[in-house]
Amino acid sequence: MNRVRIKFCGITRSDDALAAVALGVDAIGLVLTRKSPRCVAALQAREIRRALPPCVAAVALFMDDEPGFIADFVATLQPDLLQ
């Protein structure tokens, strides 16, 4: 049987990310599009990313953002996955 993988999205604080890790999540979704009220600033996203253990993926979520904006965030955050 395949194991279900779990991602929590909309994380905005390192403490919440670590609480999710303690609950067994496989990935943390960081909303980076400026169109969302859950948008995380670059430095805040990087802090959350650094708090994650290696076994938990950081997923960068974008929506209709400019390629340059996405490229800058990817360079700063170095996410494991893009959505």
Side-chain angles (χ1 to χ4, degrees):
M1 179 163 55
N2 291 333
R3 180 174 139 348
V4 174
R5 293 182 44 90
I6 299 168
K7 176 181 75 166
F8 282 9
C9 288
I11 298 293
T12 59
R13 300 179 324 152
S14 295
D15 289 345
D16 293 338
L18 294 176
V21 169
L23 291 171
V25 299
D26 300 292
I28 295 293
L30 300 167
V31 178
L32 305 173
T33 184
R34 294 167 283 195
K35 298 173 186 177
S36 171
R38 304 293 295 170
C39 182
V40 181
L43 295 178
Q44 188 177 8
R46 189 169 57 189
E47 177 186 314
I48 295 167
R49 169 74 164 122
R50 288 181 177 166
L52 297 177
C55 62
V56 176
V59 181
L61 292 92
F62 297 98
M63 183 179 71
D64 300 328
D65 294 295
E66 302 83 25
F69 176 80
I70 295 170
D72 289 346
F73 249 111
V74 168
T76 299
L77 184 59
Q78 298 180 349
D80 298 302
L81 300 164
L82 298 178
Q83 179 178 333

